[in-house]
Amino acid sequence: MLPVLLALLVVAPPPDTSWPHQDLRERMVQQQIAARGLTDPAVRGALRSVPRHRFVPEVSPELAYADRPLPIGHDQTISQPYIVARMTALVRPDSADRILEVGTGSGYQAAVLASIVDSVYTIEIIPDLAASATERLRRLGYHNVVVRNGNGFDGWPARAPFDAIVVTAAPDAIPPPLLDQLAEGGRMVVPVGPAGGPQDLTLVTNDDGKLTRRTLAPVRFVPFLRPEP
C-alpha cells in the first residue's frame, strides 16, 4: 500500500511582493494570460500571487515564469502558466468550492487553486513528489491544501463529492471513479489521450446527474500513471 502524506490547512498566504518576482509575475499575466483572452479576475489574481519560482527552485526566476513547461524530476513537468490558468478558469472556481486535483507534481496548480477556493485535495502517485510538494506547500503557507500519496485513478472517495476536479496528467480514458465523485453542477477538466499521441483537453460537466463532455483543444501532457501490479 502506498503511504499517505497529509498537510492540514486554513487560508492562502499573502502574495510574494519581493522584487523582481512580482514584476516577473505581472509580465507573465499580461503577456501569457491576459493577451490570450483569459479575463477571469480571480484566476489572474491567483497567478499574480503564487510564487511560481518557488515550485521550480532549480531554475532561474526568469525561466520559472517563462511561457513553457519545465521538468520537476521523475519524468514529470510543471505546466506552462497559460495551461494552468486556462484549466483553472475552466472549472470556474468559487470561494466555497472543494476541489480535487489529480497529479500534484510540484504543487503549483494546487497553490493556484488554493488561492481561490475553500479547500484543495490533491493526489500524487510518486512518493518523492508528494513529500516535496507537502513540505513546499506547508512552508509557503498554503494551509487549505491536503496532499496525499496514492493512486489518482480512484480519486478520493472519503472527501467526495467535489465541486471541481482538475487532472494534470493524461489518461487514455477518464477514470470512472472521478466521474462518480463530481458533484451536481460540478466541472472536471482533464487531458485525454495516449502518451505521446493526440490528446484533447476535455471539460466534463454534471448537470442534473447528466455528464456532458466537450473537447476544447489539442494538448500534450505527461501520461497518467497507475501503480505497478
Side-chain angles (χ1 to χ4, degrees):
M1 173 180 285
L2 291 167
V4 172
L5 301 167
L6 298 180
L8 301 178
L9 354 188
V10 196
V11 291
D16 168 21
T17 58
S18 59
W19 185 90
H21 307 127
Q22 187 175 22
D23 288 346
L24 289 170
R25 279 196 298 281
E26 183 60 35
R27 187 188 315 161
M28 175 189 74
V29 169
Q30 292 302 324
Q31 297 179 358
Q32 301 177 40
I33 311 303
R36 294 180 184 176
L38 200 155
T39 60
D40 188 309
V43 175
R44 287 192 189 184
L47 271 288
R48 283 189 175 100
S49 70
V50 177
R52 183 176 166 92
H53 63 285
R54 300 289 293 274
F55 293 85
V56 279
E58 60 285 339
V59 305
S60 69
E62 290 77 10
L63 185 56
Y65 292 100
D67 185 23
R68 55 174 291 185
L70 294 168
I72 57 172
H74 303 276
D75 296 321
Q76 303 299 299
T77 61
I78 178 175
S79 294
Q80 68 190 91
Y82 172 72
I83 290 295
V84 173
R86 186 175 186 191
M87 292 178 74
T88 302
L90 282 168
V91 297
R92 303 197 309 273
D94 181 82
S95 60
D97 281 352
R98 176 166 55 182
I99 291 186
L100 173 67
E101 180 196 28
V102 178
T104 314
S106 68
Y108 179 68
Q109 174 74 81
V112 169
L113 292 166
S115 299
I116 304 171
V117 306
D118 177 77
S119 53
V120 178
Y121 294 87
T122 179
I123 306 173
E124 172 56 56
I125 195 170
I126 299 172
D128 286 351
L129 290 180
S132 60
T134 298
E135 173 57 25
R136 182 177 298 112
L137 290 161
R138 182 202 62 78
R139 188 172 63 248
L140 293 175
Y142 291 96
H143 298 300
N144 57 335
V145 180
V146 183
V147 181
R148 177 185 175 192
N149 173 214
N151 179 13
F153 185 93
D154 296 329
W156 202 321
R159 299 294 185 178
F162 297 97
D163 300 295
I165 299 176
V166 175
V167 183
T168 64
D172 291 335
I174 301 174
L178 299 185
L179 296 171
D180 293 341
Q181 292 171 33
L182 191 60
E184 171 63 35
R187 293 83 55 198
M188 179 194 309
V189 62
V190 50
V192 181
Q199 298 172 355
D200 293 309
L201 192 63
T202 303
L203 179 66
V204 180
T205 56
N206 182 0
D207 296 308
D208 294 326
K210 179 182 178 181
L211 296 176
T212 302
R213 307 184 193 201
R214 183 158 59 100
T215 298
L216 301 174
V219 289
R220 188 179 183 88
F221 278 74
V222 295
F224 191 106
L225 299 180
R226 300 285 301 276
E228 294 184 4

